[in-house]
Amino acid sequence: MSQFINSRRPRRNRKSEAIRAMVEENRVTVDDLIFPMFLLDGKNQKIEVGSMPGIFRFSTDLMLKEIEECLKLGIRAFDVFPAVEDQHKDKTATKSYDPNFFYLRALREIKKQFPEACIMTDIAMDPYSSDGHDGLVKDGKILNDETLEILGKMALAQADTGIDILGPSDMMDGRVGYLRDVLDKNGFMEVSIMSYTAKYASGFYNPFRDALDSAPKFGDKKTYQMNPANRTEALIEAQLDTEEGADFLMVKPALAYLDIIRLLKDNSSLPIAAYNVSGEYSMIKAAALRGWLDGERVMKETLLSMKRAGADIILTYFAKEFASLTN
């Protein structure tokens, strides 16, 4: 028999479920999660996203029921995205700040019925833009400073509905400071900003764009979203967002960017959010449906990897499924 020179045996701390639980270093709970949801105009609408098994687009009446169900499972935070029909889209995203538009009316109703829920919203032009880009387009270029004014109108309209957190996902330079200033000057000092700090130009977003029909009508988003090859650049974005008044910093996507989550966690005192994006969700679901993976186990392992990397908050389409399994 082999003789151990060192008497340390790490396996002793793995010998039973009770001991493993005692020494567990990281744990994902429902309180860590934000559930992204897709909102439709109309009534009694529940349409599954073809490329996201188990995820649906809801009209307001059915989204209210879905949120109520999620609250009973312990999910308390929701990120609501609008699926806007083409007839409502234009080059300057005017519907994004129309108080009578279905998205803003729905947000107001959600907060009225569920004041205890934390509601996050999206600040970017692409759901409302006929060009499908996050910023204003002129001669094939995305205009930065001109976009900020539109984002400011959007932010004020959303804040006025009573929501809790704004999520600027547009990646325009200076938008966090601009939005913070606009919000404060108009009396919305309590509205938080979760900045999409390190949002990469990724191939993992396609199912989300299917859900909202918001893909760019030309080109790509590489002139404003980050290069997947870059790490140090995330620190520059984080420093700027912090100085401009962000309350949370987000990394998107999450699974292929665990190193960036850890980088921001190690270099910031702000809470770090990770967006477990649509493509990450869909590839697990697709493999599980074919029997190639244990979907439940891989879901939990994936979320745990984000937590272990340093995420304080995880936006994930697995939120309801995770909550159902842990209740």
mmCIF file of all heavy atoms in Angstrom, residues 30-31 35 55-56 64 122 145 149 162 210 215 222 243 313 315:
data_model
loop_
_atom_site.group_PDB
_atom_site.id
_atom_site.type_symbol
_atom_site.label_atom_id
_atom_site.label_comp_id
_atom_site.label_asym_id
_atom_site.label_seq_id
_atom_site.Cartn_x
_atom_site.Cartn_y
_atom_site.Cartn_z
ATOM 1 N N VAL A 30 -32.057 32.120 -4.669
ATOM 2 C CA VAL A 30 -33.019 32.856 -5.483
ATOM 3 C C VAL A 30 -32.822 34.362 -5.322
ATOM 4 O O VAL A 30 -33.063 35.129 -6.264
ATOM 5 C CB VAL A 30 -34.460 32.429 -5.122
ATOM 6 C CG1 VAL A 30 -35.476 33.243 -5.904
ATOM 7 C CG2 VAL A 30 -34.659 30.956 -5.408
ATOM 8 N N ASP A 31 -32.346 34.783 -4.170
ATOM 9 C CA ASP A 31 -32.115 36.213 -3.938
ATOM 10 C C ASP A 31 -31.033 36.787 -4.840
ATOM 11 O O ASP A 31 -30.953 38.004 -5.020
ATOM 12 C CB ASP A 31 -31.740 36.465 -2.471
ATOM 13 C CG ASP A 31 -32.926 36.340 -1.538
ATOM 14 O OD1 ASP A 31 -34.069 36.492 -2.010
ATOM 15 O OD2 ASP A 31 -32.712 36.081 -0.340
ATOM 16 N N PHE A 35 -34.865 37.842 -13.155
ATOM 17 C CA PHE A 35 -35.490 37.071 -14.232
ATOM 18 C C PHE A 35 -35.810 38.000 -15.397
ATOM 19 O O PHE A 35 -36.696 38.846 -15.306
ATOM 20 C CB PHE A 35 -36.771 36.433 -13.697
ATOM 21 C CG PHE A 35 -37.409 35.421 -14.623
ATOM 22 C CD1 PHE A 35 -36.730 34.862 -15.703
ATOM 23 C CD2 PHE A 35 -38.719 35.008 -14.398
ATOM 24 C CE1 PHE A 35 -37.321 33.937 -16.534
ATOM 25 C CE2 PHE A 35 -39.332 34.076 -15.225
ATOM 26 C CZ PHE A 35 -38.630 33.535 -16.290
ATOM 27 N N ILE A 55 -39.176 29.615 -22.525
ATOM 28 C CA ILE A 55 -39.251 31.057 -22.312
ATOM 29 C C ILE A 55 -40.317 31.635 -23.242
ATOM 30 O O ILE A 55 -40.364 31.302 -24.423
ATOM 31 C CB ILE A 55 -37.886 31.730 -22.579
ATOM 32 C CG1 ILE A 55 -36.861 31.217 -21.576
ATOM 33 C CG2 ILE A 55 -38.000 33.253 -22.495
ATOM 34 C CD1 ILE A 55 -37.174 31.497 -20.112
ATOM 35 N N PHE A 56 -41.144 32.537 -22.679
ATOM 36 C CA PHE A 56 -42.299 33.045 -23.411
ATOM 37 C C PHE A 56 -42.304 34.568 -23.467
ATOM 38 O O PHE A 56 -41.718 35.239 -22.621
ATOM 39 C CB PHE A 56 -43.589 32.574 -22.730
ATOM 40 C CG PHE A 56 -43.758 31.082 -22.720
ATOM 41 C CD1 PHE A 56 -43.183 30.307 -21.718
ATOM 42 C CD2 PHE A 56 -44.470 30.447 -23.725
ATOM 43 C CE1 PHE A 56 -43.323 28.931 -21.713
ATOM 44 C CE2 PHE A 56 -44.616 29.054 -23.726
ATOM 45 C CZ PHE A 56 -44.044 28.303 -22.719
ATOM 46 N N LEU A 64 -48.440 39.779 -15.663
ATOM 47 C CA LEU A 64 -48.799 40.027 -14.264
ATOM 48 C C LEU A 64 -49.003 38.711 -13.526
ATOM 49 O O LEU A 64 -48.544 38.541 -12.385
ATOM 50 C CB LEU A 64 -50.050 40.887 -14.180
ATOM 51 C CG LEU A 64 -49.891 42.344 -14.626
ATOM 52 C CD1 LEU A 64 -51.249 43.011 -14.769
ATOM 53 C CD2 LEU A 64 -49.016 43.126 -13.658
ATOM 54 N N ASP A 122 -34.741 48.307 -19.630
ATOM 55 C CA ASP A 122 -33.634 48.388 -20.580
ATOM 56 C C ASP A 122 -33.591 49.764 -21.229
ATOM 57 O O ASP A 122 -34.610 50.284 -21.673
ATOM 58 C CB ASP A 122 -33.823 47.322 -21.661
ATOM 59 C CG ASP A 122 -32.695 47.319 -22.677
ATOM 60 O OD1 ASP A 122 -31.535 47.180 -22.268
ATOM 61 O OD2 ASP A 122 -32.993 47.454 -23.879
ATOM 62 N N ASP A 145 -23.018 61.022 -29.076
ATOM 63 C CA ASP A 145 -23.575 62.082 -28.241
ATOM 64 C C ASP A 145 -25.023 62.394 -28.593
ATOM 65 O O ASP A 145 -25.831 62.714 -27.709
ATOM 66 C CB ASP A 145 -22.719 63.340 -28.352
ATOM 67 C CG ASP A 145 -21.311 63.129 -27.789
ATOM 68 O OD1 ASP A 145 -20.993 61.979 -27.403
ATOM 69 O OD2 ASP A 145 -20.537 64.092 -27.736
ATOM 70 N N GLU A 149 -29.268 62.036 -25.843
ATOM 71 C CA GLU A 149 -30.499 62.792 -25.615
ATOM 72 C C GLU A 149 -31.724 61.882 -25.695
ATOM 73 O O GLU A 149 -32.659 62.001 -24.883
ATOM 74 C CB GLU A 149 -30.618 63.926 -26.627
ATOM 75 C CG GLU A 149 -31.838 64.813 -26.398
ATOM 76 C CD GLU A 149 -31.918 65.965 -27.372
ATOM 77 O OE1 GLU A 149 -30.944 66.203 -28.119
ATOM 78 O OE2 GLU A 149 -32.972 66.631 -27.395
ATOM 79 N N GLY A 162 -42.241 54.315 -12.039
ATOM 80 C CA GLY A 162 -42.005 53.795 -10.701
ATOM 81 C C GLY A 162 -41.035 52.642 -10.629
ATOM 82 O O GLY A 162 -40.854 52.042 -9.566
ATOM 83 N N ASP A 210 -34.100 37.115 -31.497
ATOM 84 C CA ASP A 210 -35.302 36.449 -32.008
ATOM 85 C C ASP A 210 -36.515 36.840 -31.174
ATOM 86 O O ASP A 210 -37.597 37.088 -31.716
ATOM 87 C CB ASP A 210 -35.132 34.929 -31.956
ATOM 88 C CG ASP A 210 -34.104 34.398 -32.938
ATOM 89 O OD1 ASP A 210 -33.737 35.139 -33.866
ATOM 90 O OD2 ASP A 210 -33.668 33.246 -32.761
ATOM 91 N N ALA A 215 -32.683 42.498 -34.244
ATOM 92 C CA ALA A 215 -31.353 42.373 -34.856
ATOM 93 C C ALA A 215 -31.050 43.593 -35.718
ATOM 94 O O ALA A 215 -31.962 44.210 -36.286
ATOM 95 C CB ALA A 215 -31.289 41.111 -35.702
ATOM 96 N N LYS A 222 -19.990 46.058 -33.486
ATOM 97 C CA LYS A 222 -18.605 46.029 -33.027
ATOM 98 C C LYS A 222 -18.002 47.404 -32.786
ATOM 99 O O LYS A 222 -16.965 47.510 -32.137
ATOM 100 C CB LYS A 222 -17.747 45.257 -34.030
ATOM 101 C CG LYS A 222 -18.080 43.770 -34.084
ATOM 102 C CD LYS A 222 -17.222 43.034 -35.095
ATOM 103 C CE LYS A 222 -17.568 41.558 -35.141
ATOM 104 N NZ LYS A 222 -16.750 40.830 -36.147
ATOM 105 N N GLU A 243 -17.207 56.276 -11.890
ATOM 106 C CA GLU A 243 -17.062 57.722 -11.736
ATOM 107 C C GLU A 243 -18.331 58.472 -12.153
ATOM 108 O O GLU A 243 -18.660 59.526 -11.595
ATOM 109 C CB GLU A 243 -15.876 58.219 -12.563
ATOM 110 C CG GLU A 243 -14.529 57.754 -12.035
ATOM 111 C CD GLU A 243 -13.387 58.080 -12.989
ATOM 112 O OE1 GLU A 243 -13.662 58.536 -14.126
ATOM 113 O OE2 GLU A 243 -12.215 57.859 -12.611
ATOM 114 N N ILE A 313 -24.916 39.259 -8.431
ATOM 115 C CA ILE A 313 -26.249 39.209 -9.027
ATOM 116 C C ILE A 313 -26.128 38.478 -10.360
ATOM 117 O O ILE A 313 -25.164 38.683 -11.098
ATOM 118 C CB ILE A 313 -26.785 40.632 -9.282
ATOM 119 C CG1 ILE A 313 -26.842 41.432 -7.974
ATOM 120 C CG2 ILE A 313 -28.146 40.613 -9.973
ATOM 121 C CD1 ILE A 313 -26.785 42.924 -8.187
ATOM 122 N N LEU A 315 -28.418 37.710 -13.816
ATOM 123 C CA LEU A 315 -29.613 37.787 -14.653
ATOM 124 C C LEU A 315 -29.660 36.508 -15.457
ATOM 125 O O LEU A 315 -28.709 36.200 -16.200
ATOM 126 C CB LEU A 315 -29.563 38.995 -15.581
ATOM 127 C CG LEU A 315 -29.617 40.383 -14.927
ATOM 128 C CD1 LEU A 315 -28.206 40.860 -14.540
ATOM 129 C CD2 LEU A 315 -30.267 41.400 -15.855
#
